[in-house]
Amino acid sequence: MLDIIYWPVSAILWFWHKAFGFVFGADSGVAWTLAIVFLVFTLRLVLYKPFVKQVRTTKQMQELQPQIKELQKKYKNDRETMAREMQKLQKEHGFNPLMGCLPVLVQVPVFLGLFHVLRSFNRTGHGFGQLGLSAEENANIGNYIFSATDVQSFLSARIFGAPIAAFITAPTNELAAFAEWGGTPTRLSIALVAIPLMIIAGVATHFNARASVQRQTPEAAANPQAAIMNKLSLWVFPLGVMVGGPFLMIGILIYWVANNIWTYGQQHLVFGRMEKEEAEKKAKKLEQRAQNAPKPGVKPVDVRKKQDAAVADDSSANGSAATNGTPKQSAKQGGQRRPGGQKRPGNRGRANQKRKR
């Protein structure tokens, strides 16, 4: 069912192994380690734009938090209206909650796909999802896009003496699958490689979470749900990596370390650009204010007086238009006209009467 994930993941891993195998040798542990690292980098590069949208969505959600709280307070007894108003608010600001979790949702199947592909290089186990093959059968059966020769190359690869597909709590029969391909590894040799990777992965997870929490607004950090998620990401998730490390293959731990290194660098790059954009917007606003402000020594112009003058001009224009209306109105307002077309003053008779008196 998940072959749609397994085949692309194995194809990317195969490509990078061929590239680095050409330099370091096909059976080199360095070639396989770099293949896993660049598999991570390839997938994260594809997910770069969704990650940027995720960061912008998270920031936008923090900015809308006061309005969301007002809606929750206003419609606390009417959930239907509150949901409708929430959707309206999100639509007005172009906010899409799905973009906040899309990169994480995409990375989960990739992680599961890589776990399955690396685990399928050694199918001698008898647990859940294992085939229980013999060491000989396992070494002579391909693994998705990898041929049987590639499987043997992977079994032969060592990093500081430990197979990449081995883990600390691996059963003895699974470790025996490496016997003909570089010798059976000891748990000590596996632990000496796995434990430092577990510590690095846990510490990197913690610092990535801390970098995200420090950029939250005070309003967002005060939200109870956000506070719980912050504690989980700061302490529980890193601890989970270290506790679950003995059950994870060295290749998966390499994936986890590489993923956290990429995330740490990408966060600083994206947040740095966003801060630069905000600084440019603030500078533009200040520049516009400076341009609109009166120059030194010039009397400031009252905008309200300009508006009143404009209104007066409009009213006078309307009045002149009215005087040029119907003949009766013009005759009443401007007096009668003489036969020659000249205008007769309207108060002429009254003035003559006064003179006679």
Side-chain angles (χ1 to χ4, degrees):
M1 184 177 66
L2 295 177
D3 285 349
I4 193 174
I5 298 172
Y6 300 151
W7 281 96
V9 169
S10 63
I12 297 172
L13 185 63
W14 176 88
F15 170 80
W16 286 116
H17 171 252
K18 293 299 179 184
F20 290 110
F22 180 78
V23 179
F24 299 101
D27 298 342
S28 171
V30 176
W32 282 102
T33 300
L34 290 175
I36 295 172
V37 170
F38 275 79
L39 166 69
V40 176
F41 292 170
T42 302
L43 295 172
R44 292 304 303 273
L45 189 62
V46 172
L47 295 173
Y48 176 75
K49 287 188 177 180
F51 176 82
V52 174
K53 289 184 179 180
Q54 175 194 7
V55 173
R56 293 186 183 279
T57 300
T58 303
K59 185 179 179 182
Q60 193 176 19
M61 186 175 182
Q62 294 175 2
E63 293 174 352
L64 293 177
Q65 201 64 33
Q67 300 181 42
I68 292 174
K69 285 184 177 180
E70 289 180 3
L71 292 176
Q72 290 174 345
K73 185 178 179 180
K74 184 177 181 180
Y75 301 105
K76 60 181 179 180
N77 297 325
D78 190 353
R79 293 186 175 274
E80 184 178 351
T81 305
M82 183 173 65
R84 188 168 55 253
E85 292 296 324
M86 288 280 193
Q87 291 178 357
K88 184 179 178 182
L89 178 66
Q90 294 172 1
K91 188 176 180 180
E92 288 176 354
H93 292 82
F95 176 73
N96 187 1
L98 182 61
M99 294 307 302
C101 56
L102 181 61
V104 177
L105 294 176
V106 174
Q107 288 184 61
V108 170
V110 171
F111 175 81
L112 295 176
L114 179 64
F115 179 84
H116 179 76
V117 171
L118 293 181
R119 185 182 177 184
S120 297
F121 280 107
N122 186 358
R123 293 149 289 189
T124 58
H126 295 276
F128 176 77
Q130 291 282 25
L131 299 178
L133 302 177
S134 65
E136 185 178 358
E137 289 174 336
N138 178 68
N140 290 282
I141 297 177
N143 177 24
Y144 292 97
I145 201 170
F146 293 98
S147 63
T149 304
D150 295 328
V151 172
Q152 296 168 14
S153 172
F154 188 85
L155 295 173
S156 302
R158 298 288 190 275
I159 175 171
F160 299 108
I164 297 177
F167 52 99
I168 297 174
T169 58
T172 306
N173 64 322
E174 291 190 32
L175 295 178
F178 301 97
E180 296 184 8
W181 314 101
T184 303
T186 63
R187 297 191 186 279
L188 179 61
S189 64
I190 299 171
L192 290 175
V193 178
I195 291 175
L197 289 174
M198 290 160 47
I199 295 172
I200 294 171
V203 171
T205 303
H206 171 78
F207 277 103
N208 279 331
R210 175 177 287 186
S212 298
V213 171
Q214 287 177 348
R215 290 183 171 89
Q216 290 181 351
T217 60
E219 294 81 5
N223 188 5
Q225 295 179 351
I228 294 173
M229 287 302 300
N230 289 341
K231 290 181 180 178
L232 289 174
S233 59
L234 282 171
W235 307 109
V236 178
F237 293 162
L239 184 62
V241 175
M242 300 180 68
V243 172
F247 303 93
L248 298 175
M249 289 175 287
I250 291 175
I252 294 297
L253 294 174
I254 292 171
Y255 168 89
W256 201 276
V257 172
N259 190 56
N260 277 282
I261 291 173
W262 179 278
T263 301
Y264 190 80
Q266 187 172 256
Q267 276 188 345
H268 282 272
L269 176 65
V270 173
F271 282 116
R273 286 183 176 179
M274 291 178 65
E275 290 174 0
K276 187 177 179 180
E277 290 175 0
E278 290 181 358
E280 290 178 354
K281 288 181 180 178
K282 289 181 180 179
K284 286 182 179 179
K285 288 183 179 179
L286 292 174
E287 186 178 353
Q288 288 177 354
R289 289 180 182 178
Q291 290 178 353
N292 296 332
K295 296 180 180 180
V298 178
K299 185 178 179 181
V301 179
D302 193 348
V303 180
R304 290 177 296 179
K305 288 184 178 180
K306 281 188 173 183
Q307 293 176 351
D308 294 340
V311 172
D313 292 340
D314 291 341
S315 61
S316 62
N318 293 333
S320 63
T323 57
N324 295 329
T326 60
K328 291 183 179 180
Q329 290 176 345
S330 60
K332 290 180 181 179
Q333 293 177 359
Q336 297 177 353
R337 290 185 177 273
R338 295 180 180 179
Q342 296 179 356
K343 186 176 179 182
R344 180 180 295 178
N347 58 352
R348 183 172 175 274
R350 293 181 183 177
N352 291 336
Q353 291 175 1
K354 287 181 181 180
R355 286 177 186 173
K356 288 179 181 181
R357 291 177 185 176

